[in-house]
Amino acid sequence: MIQVGIIGGTGYVGAELVRLLSNHNKVKISGISSAQYKGKSISSIYPGFYGLNELVCESQQEVMEKSDLMFLALPSGLSESIVEKAIHKDKVCIDMGADFRFKNEALYKKWYGKSFLAHSLHEQAVYGLPELNREYIRKSQIIGNPGCYATSVELALLPLISGGLIEENGIIADCKSGVTGSGKNLTESSHFVNCNESFAPYKVANHRHTPEIEENLSNISKENVKLTFVPHLIPINRGILSTIYTTPKKPMDIEKVHEKYCEFYKKENFVKVLPLGEISKINNVRLSNYCHISLHFDEENNKLIVISCLDNMMKGSAGQGIQNMNILLGFDETEGLTDVPAIF
């Protein structure tokens, strides 16, 4: 049985990892760490675990020592030094933050204000979008789990970008997320009175997932992909809906494009291309690791519109992290992730 530790086990992502891994048949949670709640049980912080999981929060070092693989569910900038120690002890690391999402150090420094501390680690690290890098993930010891918005937008655009079907510039990604996307610590915008019965954009054209999306899509396209990305906060707990506007390079046949999408994702367990005429909706993927994609064509304006929906805590975060774990450990990729989306 593989021993899996969670560094930062009491934030939203960490708690979701505990929930999912508690039902995984191939691994055992060896320990969880928390700077804030050391010595307290996970059930005293999240009573839903009462009688089901009574893990007690320990130090990072204690968790590292008894784990074969570690998830690092920490704010960006805190994982790299821990990963460096873990790799020297031959541990496998899946970073849920942004520390290992970038190959371009200048981009990381521009958007996160930090430089790479150990360049060799970044050379080893693989960007953990399975539908893009599955074969590399299998061989890696360090995985940078993608951002939630980035996952939604990249999955929506991969078939178009890889096929050279759309203009690389002028892409618009209009995205909405539930409040869990902003993390457990309260901000002014996530206070109940400010987000309930409201709907507002934030970090307009200045969100950190923008360079992540552009870097990965540019690597696929071999052209410089640029997009305008505007995230919005909506008063729901979980879920992302991305409406993406693209311009076709050639006259568009929506049925043929739909066929390309179905062919592109036919072997993927967690990406579902909906029939033409259907529309992706958050409530149809909630509490699941699935991403739903629907295609629409505005003939009057020559715009191909792609709508992508996923649960930001699942395929956008913890679920995708476990999917990556399954791949690199040689398990069935769907292990622990086959729950049907909530029906209502």
Side-chain angles (χ1 to χ4, degrees), residues 89-152:
K89 295 178 178 290
D90 202 30
K91 312 289 185 180
V92 175
C93 296
I94 300 177
D95 182 28
M96 308 303 289
D99 287 19
F100 294 96
R101 291 175 187 166
F102 291 87
K103 289 298 183 184
N104 186 324
E105 183 179 9
L107 269 181
Y108 181 69
K109 187 172 183 179
K110 176 182 176 181
W111 288 84
Y112 288 85
K114 299 178 178 68
S115 298
F116 293 168
L117 300 179
H119 287 81
S120 62
L121 296 181
H122 295 273
E123 292 169 4
Q124 298 175 51
V126 171
Y127 185 70
L129 187 68
E131 294 77 11
L132 176 63
N133 287 329
R134 183 174 284 105
E135 294 309 312
Y136 295 104
I137 292 167
R138 293 187 202 279
K139 305 170 187 176
S140 182
Q141 200 173 351
I142 305 172
I143 303 294
N145 212 61
C148 51
Y149 281 124
T151 299
S152 176

Side-chain angles (χ1 to χ4, degrees), residues 197-253:
E197 298 186 27
S198 183
F199 171 35
Y202 65 100
K203 296 183 180 178
V204 176
N206 191 37
H207 193 284
R208 288 173 168 179
H209 287 184
T210 305
E212 178 184 341
I213 297 166
E214 291 179 342
E215 182 180 60
N216 285 287
L217 294 182
S218 295
N219 288 339
I220 298 162
S221 172
K222 308 305 180 187
E223 301 287 343
N224 190 23
V225 175
K226 302 297 290 182
L227 80 159
T228 299
F229 168 49
V230 181
H232 301 72
L233 187 67
I234 53 178
I236 61 173
N237 285 346
R238 52 202 299 162
I240 283 178
L241 185 148
S242 297
T243 304
I244 304 161
Y245 303 88
T246 71
T247 304
K249 288 183 176 180
K250 297 179 180 179
M252 177 64 63
D253 183 333

Side-chain angles (χ1 to χ4, degrees), residues 254-271:
I254 189 64
E255 292 186 353
K256 288 185 178 179
V257 174
H258 185 263
E259 289 174 5
K260 287 182 182 293
Y261 267 79
C262 291
E263 178 66 22
F264 192 93
Y265 285 122
K266 69 178 182 181
K267 295 181 179 180
E268 295 298 339
N269 293 298
F270 295 115
V271 181

